[in-house]
Amino acid sequence: MTGRDPLHYLTWLGARSAGLVAFGLAAAAVIVGLTMSSTKGRPAARRRYAATKDLHQQLALAALVAIGVHGALLVADRWLRPGLAGVLIPFATPYRPFWTGLGILAAYLAALLGLSYYSRQAIGARRWRRLHRFTPVIYVLAAAHLLGAGSDGGTLAARLAVAGTAIPIAALLALRVAGAATPGAAPARASPRTARP
């Protein structure tokens, strides 16, 4: 890119920025969601639940918007030129197809799990909660996509961003698994007003 007008690469720069923002928002949404689930049932946690739930939803929706902007700008990129198929069909683009495909799968999974909240009554709350347990997979796919396909993936900043979000996510997942495996621990039942979406 040296010696060229940066405006020529405006869509690429925008797509790159939107991708990084999407990763940060998705990671934050996963962290907040895991925090909610690892403390549920405790009296203090119930009081914080409503505010945390709103934050979790807003982060998830903002991540979906950023993912959409990331994909739309990539379609318009004059250097990469992936075409619609390269952005919508996993592993179809010639540019780092495996790592790009993981990002596309992450985007579809984020849309499926994020938007399923609005149809949880139709699919059933219990089934929806089971489905929602796959949310950390979005993070894993997105992190792999960032490191493998992102033009910044090899930088120290990108690696620190992944490590800085992976550590709390792994710790919260461990707490969740440990809580589920505790003998004699009865699952907490929230009141209808504070029931988990």
Side-chain angles (χ1 to χ4, degrees):
M1 291 195 326
T2 54
R4 298 291 298 271
D5 181 2
L7 292 178
H8 180 74
Y9 298 95
L10 196 57
T11 53
W12 178 79
L13 291 169
R16 177 177 159 197
S17 300
L20 292 170
V21 168
F23 175 77
L25 289 169
V30 171
I31 290 169
V32 172
L34 287 170
T35 302
M36 290 166 57
S37 67
S38 64
T39 58
K40 69 179 181 179
R42 298 178 190 163
R46 288 182 186 166
R47 288 191 293 272
R48 282 175 288 176
Y49 182 81
T52 309
K53 182 181 98 170
D54 290 343
L55 175 62
H56 178 60
Q57 289 174 340
Q58 289 163 5
L59 287 168
L61 289 174
L64 287 176
V65 170
I67 290 167
V69 171
H70 178 58
L73 288 173
L74 284 174
V75 170
D77 184 50
R78 290 184 285 176
W79 177 78
L80 191 62
R81 297 183 184 191
L84 212 51
V87 171
L88 295 177
I89 301 172
F91 315 110
T93 183
Y95 176 77
R96 300 180 185 177
F98 177 73
W99 302 110
T100 304
L102 294 183
I104 295 168
L105 291 176
Y108 285 137
L109 192 57
L112 173 70
L113 296 181
L115 298 177
S116 69
Y117 171 79
Y118 301 100
S119 59
R120 68 194 185 286
Q121 288 184 339
I123 63 178
R126 183 175 294 175
R127 189 175 292 130
W128 179 82
R129 278 192 294 272
R130 282 191 200 131
L131 186 67
H132 209 64
R133 287 181 186 153
F134 289 98
T135 303
V137 174
I138 297 167
Y139 171 81
V140 172
L141 292 172
H145 171 69
L146 169 61
L147 295 175
S151 54
D152 298 302
T155 65
L156 179 62
R159 291 174 184 170
L160 287 175
V162 171
T165 52
I167 291 168
I169 287 173
L172 288 165
L173 275 172
L175 281 174
R176 186 180 195 180
V177 170
T182 303
R189 294 190 182 271
S191 68
R193 204 175 275 177
T194 59
R196 212 171 157 201

